[in-house]
Amino acid sequence: MSLPDPFRVAIISDLHYGSPVEAARGHTFLNRIQNPLRRWLVKQQRHWIWLREPWAHNHLLDRFIAEAATAHLVVANGDYSCDSAYVGVMDEPAFQSAADCLQKLRAAFGGRLLAVVGDHELGKMMLGQKEGGLRLASYARATSELALEPFWQSRVGNYVFLGVTSTLLALAVFESEALPEELPEWRRLREQHLESVRRAFDSIRDGERILLFCHDPSALPFLWREESVRARLRQVERTIVGHLHSKWVMRQARWLSGMPRITFFGHTPRRLSTALREARHWADFKILLCPSPAGLQLFKDGGYLTASIDPSGRRPAAFEFHPFRWESREAKVPSLRPK
Ligand SMILES: [Fe+2]
């Protein structure tokens, strides 16, 4: 059967869908930060820079579904809920968000959908408070009830699409956020994941082109250490990452790459500086950011990507960014009063 040329791929990342039960938590989850100065700083950061109401942009998923209706393949690059309990989808409201989000995507695209596991599916410690982190119960739920595959591959003509789980690959960065009794199992899962990755890279044939999908670019230096991956690195045409939400964050991350590791100020600066110190390897993977649909509060610079692919691989894939304009109700400035 001949493949359409161009073969059109639509890519969305960091949807952070808010189910009614998760959205009902509103800003209250920030009240867990006990230190008043830290709480105030985190609230300011979320209000002015990151995203004021992460759960309030669900309609962007509907817009994406409508605009991507004719795509031959759709990739969702991780983070389907708001993870407002910081323990991933073992939390029922976060599970509902991810389930609603994936159900909408699957209903729209069926077998054309490939879905990556993000870090928020598995849990992530909150900024400003040592609370939450990765949980095996969330991994189990993500891979069973949500039917997310930690590793997948799909061939389209001369192209191989590969999806990996960044949290498993970069486990060394996240280990301090896991429960000590769960660490042996996380390490076993990582080894199992790496085996799948090695087998896939070993089976790549000369002349094939790879499009790699990885939620968090922190994982890429760990992939680089794998001989099987390095042997085929020149065939990686692009690595599509998410997680950073905005081109602006990506620029800062590149600028800060090579910085020394910050071991004071707690877990988040330590995790971020460890990841950034290794960011010099990102270039080898030819990374391309798919921003979140809403982008940053500060710049409102979200959207999604499309790729136009020649299945024979004679022409390189042409990527295009499609911005989402904020509606006036999203852009309005709500009160900063503590809720
Ligand atoms: Fe993320």
Side-chain angles (χ1 to χ4, degrees):
M1 196 183 74
S2 71
L3 287 159
D5 181 9
F7 187 91
R8 294 188 314 278
V9 184
I11 305 153
I12 188 106
S13 193
D14 298 81
L15 277 152
H16 293 294
Y17 199 81
S19 61
V21 53
E22 192 170 29
R25 280 180 173 154
H27 292 280
T28 55
F29 64 97
L30 292 176
N31 295 342
R32 293 193 203 179
I33 306 173
Q34 281 154 15
N35 181 308
L37 176 63
R38 274 194 194 175
R39 186 167 60 240
W40 183 82
L41 285 170
V42 170
K43 283 190 175 181
Q44 297 304 312
Q45 186 264 3
R46 294 185 74 103
H47 190 86
W48 300 108
I49 300 170
W50 191 248
L51 199 55
R52 208 164 289 168
E53 296 181 315
W55 56 87
H57 305 271
N58 290 349
H59 62 285
L60 295 179
L61 171 58
D62 300 325
R63 276 184 63 185
F64 171 73
I65 286 172
E67 291 183 25
T70 59
H72 299 111
L73 196 71
V74 174
V75 183
N77 212 12
D79 282 5
Y80 306 98
S81 79
C82 297
D83 190 20
S84 52
Y86 297 91
V87 289
V89 293
M90 68 180 281
D91 170 56
E92 193 54 37
F95 175 81
Q96 270 315 318
S97 298
D100 289 356
C101 183
L102 286 163
Q103 200 277 331
K104 278 191 164 206
L105 287 165
R106 286 175 177 143
F109 304 116
R112 290 180 289 153
L113 179 76
L114 295 169
V116 172
V117 178
D119 54 344
H120 282 289
E121 276 67 76
L122 308 181
K124 185 176 172 183
M125 204 170 263
M126 73 186 297
L127 180 66
Q129 179 74 33
K130 214 169 179 324
E131 204 171 306
L134 48 164
R135 297 289 182 270
L136 282 175
S138 289
Y139 182 88
R141 238 181 156 184
T143 52
S144 57
E145 287 171 75
L146 293 177
L148 290 170
E149 287 181 51
F151 175 79
W152 48 255
Q153 58 180 316
S154 180
R155 278 188 153 80
V156 175
N158 217 28
Y159 274 88
V160 187
F161 291 69
L162 298 175
V164 295
T165 297
S166 50
T167 303
L168 288 180
L169 295 171
L171 185 62
V173 178
F174 299 100
E175 278 198 351
S176 62
E177 301 186 10
L179 301 173
E181 63 273 24
E182 292 189 352
L183 274 176
E185 179 60 7
W186 280 115
R187 289 175 186 151
R188 193 193 64 79
L189 289 168
R190 178 178 192 271
E191 208 33 58
Q192 194 181 54
H193 189 60
L194 271 177
E195 268 310 309
S196 309
V197 171
R198 287 178 196 130
R199 260 200 312 275
F201 273 87
D202 288 343
S203 72
I204 301 283
R205 295 183 287 266
D206 291 343
E208 282 187 316
R209 289 169 177 260
I210 301 166
L211 288 182
L212 179 61
F213 292 85
C214 175
H215 175 73
D216 177 355
S218 308
L220 298 178
F222 295 92
L223 269 184
W224 187 88
R225 286 173 203 167
E226 292 298 316
E227 218 178 298
S228 306
V229 174
R230 278 206 310 279
R232 294 293 179 188
L233 207 48
R234 290 177 62 176
Q235 288 168 253
V236 175
E237 188 174 313
R238 294 314 289 258
T239 298
I240 293 89
V241 300
H243 187 63
L244 303 174
H245 286 211
S246 154
K247 276 186 298 206
W248 183 81
V249 180
M250 174 86 123
R251 269 201 299 273
Q252 310 312 308
R254 280 185 189 275
W255 183 69
L256 290 167
S257 65
M259 71 187 283
R261 190 164 170 253
I262 300 170
T263 50
F264 43 97
F265 288 141
H267 62 89
T268 301
R270 183 172 54 234
R271 166 163 40 77
L272 291 175
S273 62
T274 304
L276 286 170
R277 199 167 59 114
E278 302 268 12
R280 58 189 184 277
H281 289 303
W282 292 0
D284 299 323
F285 286 86
K286 303 166 199 92
I287 67 170
L288 177 65
L289 174 73
C290 179
S292 65
L296 287 194
Q297 187 76 36
L298 186 61
F299 299 121
K300 301 171 179 59
D301 52 353
Y304 68 97
L305 296 178
T306 54
S308 185
I309 285 169
D310 167 8
S312 73
R314 279 190 288 269
R315 296 187 309 272
F319 288 86
E320 194 181 338
F321 172 61
H322 303 263
F324 277 146
R325 193 186 292 273
W326 280 38
E327 292 173 7
S328 52
R329 69 184 169 86
E330 290 173 289
K332 77 180 187 339
V333 182
S335 161
L336 247 190
R337 270 183 299 126
K339 289 177 196 171

